[in-house]
């Protein structure tokens, strides 16, 4: 799996919002883009465009002015990593810009289509399971910690 810098920064930014503004239903105080950029070492101009995309995608809300900033649009427990990734980069697991079920494989390579579909299902299973609250609180689901604990996962 390959994630773009844009997705990495988006996930770091919304996780920062979850940790600073709280993971529950309450909004907390808005966080400025500069605060997020400094805390997560994200280039500020790049972050501004990411936050705009996240706002348009319904992940964050924003308020201008001296008391302004950003906050999560919904409780962090309701926002999966998969949702953030889709807002930033579109559907999961595309092959050459196409969905795996749209590809045409023939002969000996025919089974590759099933491999790509299974890969997407596996990614989706993890990314939809993990929420921003899980990451912000450092309490990942057991299935994730078990997979990450396998030494071969790190190589």
């Amino acid at each position: 799996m390959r994630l773009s810098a844009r997705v990495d920064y988006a996930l770091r930014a919304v996780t920062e919002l979850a940790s600073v503004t709280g993971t529950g239903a309450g909004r907390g105080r808005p966080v400025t883009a500069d605060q997020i950029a400094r805390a997560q070492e994200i280039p500020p101009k790049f972050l501004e465009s990411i936050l705009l995309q996240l706002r348009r995608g319904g992940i964050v809300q924003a308020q201008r002015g001296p008391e302004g900033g950003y906050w999560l649009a919904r409780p962090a427990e309701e926002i999966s990593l998969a949702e953030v990734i889709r807002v930033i980069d579109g559907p999961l697991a595309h092959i050459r810009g196409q969905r795996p079920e749209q590809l045409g494989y023939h002969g000996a390579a025919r089974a590759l289509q099933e491999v790509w579909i299974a890969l997407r299902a596996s990614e989706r299973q993890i990314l939809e399971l993990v929420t921003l609250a899980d990451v912000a609180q450092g309490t990942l689901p057991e299935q994730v910690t078990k997979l990450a604990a396998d030494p071969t996962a790190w190589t």
Side-chain angles (χ1 to χ4, degrees), residues 11 23 27 29-30 32 39 45 48 56-57 76 81 90 98 114 118-119 126-127 136 143 147 150:
L11 290 168
T23 57
R27 175 175 121 182
R29 61 179 171 80
T32 68
K45 289 289 183 192
E48 286 287 347
R56 288 182 180 152
L81 301 186
Q98 294 182 325
E114 288 183 54
L119 176 65
I126 296 296
L127 294 172
Q143 180 180 354
L147 287 168
D150 180 351

Side-chain angles (χ1 to χ4, degrees), residues 37-111:
R38 278 193 309 274
Q40 291 299 319
E41 299 179 356
I42 300 171
K45 289 289 183 192
F46 198 24
L47 179 60
E48 286 287 347
S49 69
I50 291 168
L51 289 169
L52 177 62
Q53 199 172 355
L54 290 168
R55 188 175 61 77
R56 288 182 180 152
I59 302 291
V60 302
Q61 292 185 339
Q63 175 180 316
R64 293 181 184 213
E67 300 294 319
Y70 296 88
W71 63 92
L72 296 176
R74 299 187 319 275
E77 294 86 352
E78 296 176 11
I79 304 172
S80 71
L81 301 186
E83 183 178 354
V84 176
I85 293 169
R86 285 186 190 107
V87 165
I88 298 298
D89 269 0
L92 301 175
H94 272 192
I95 314 300
R96 297 184 332 243
Q98 294 182 325
R99 298 173 61 91
E101 62 273 11
Q102 295 172 330
L103 297 172
Y105 288 98
H106 306 284
R110 180 170 275 141

Side-chain angles (χ1 to χ4, degrees), residues 5-17 31-48 50-51:
R6 192 171 193 80
V7 166
D8 180 49
Y9 288 155
L11 290 168
R12 289 164 53 186
V14 292
T15 300
E16 185 67 22
L17 285 175
V31 181
T32 68
D34 284 340
Q35 289 171 315
I36 297 168
R38 278 193 309 274
Q40 291 299 319
E41 299 179 356
I42 300 171
K45 289 289 183 192
F46 198 24
L47 179 60
E48 286 287 347
I50 291 168
L51 289 169

